[in-house]
Amino acid sequence: MPDRKIIGERLRKLRGNLSRSFIANACGISVSALSMYENGDRMPRDNVKVRFAKLFGKSVQYIFFSD
């Protein structure tokens, strides 16, 4: 599994120009949690990983497990 910093970078790229508050609301998480995921300080739980995947139209495998 890639390290949290790489995953955080991938999440930031997928978010693009969308606001953190938009993504957080869409995924049912707090803005501070999203910030921690994007900064590589925390990993989301599996159910949140699935929400990210659906929102971004990518697989959980692509976002969280590909190198």
Side-chain angles (χ1 to χ4, degrees):
M1 179 158 116
D3 70 33
R4 292 186 311 212
K5 296 288 182 195
I6 293 170
I7 292 167
E9 195 174 298
R10 194 170 292 148
L11 288 172
R12 282 192 304 279
K13 284 181 183 173
L14 288 168
R15 178 166 60 86
N17 293 325
L18 298 171
S19 70
R20 279 189 172 153
S21 58
F22 175 83
I23 299 299
N25 288 331
C27 291
I29 60 175
S30 68
V31 173
S32 65
L34 178 57
S35 295
M36 285 188 261
Y37 302 149
E38 288 186 352
N39 291 329
D41 298 327
R42 270 179 45 188
M43 270 302 256
R45 292 193 170 127
D46 288 348
N47 62 331
V48 176
K49 289 177 184 174
V50 170
R51 290 183 213 149
F52 279 129
K54 286 181 181 175
L55 180 66
F56 294 129
K58 303 286 183 188
S59 68
V60 171
Q61 177 73 26
Y62 170 79
I63 298 172
F64 296 98
F65 298 100
S66 61
D67 290 326

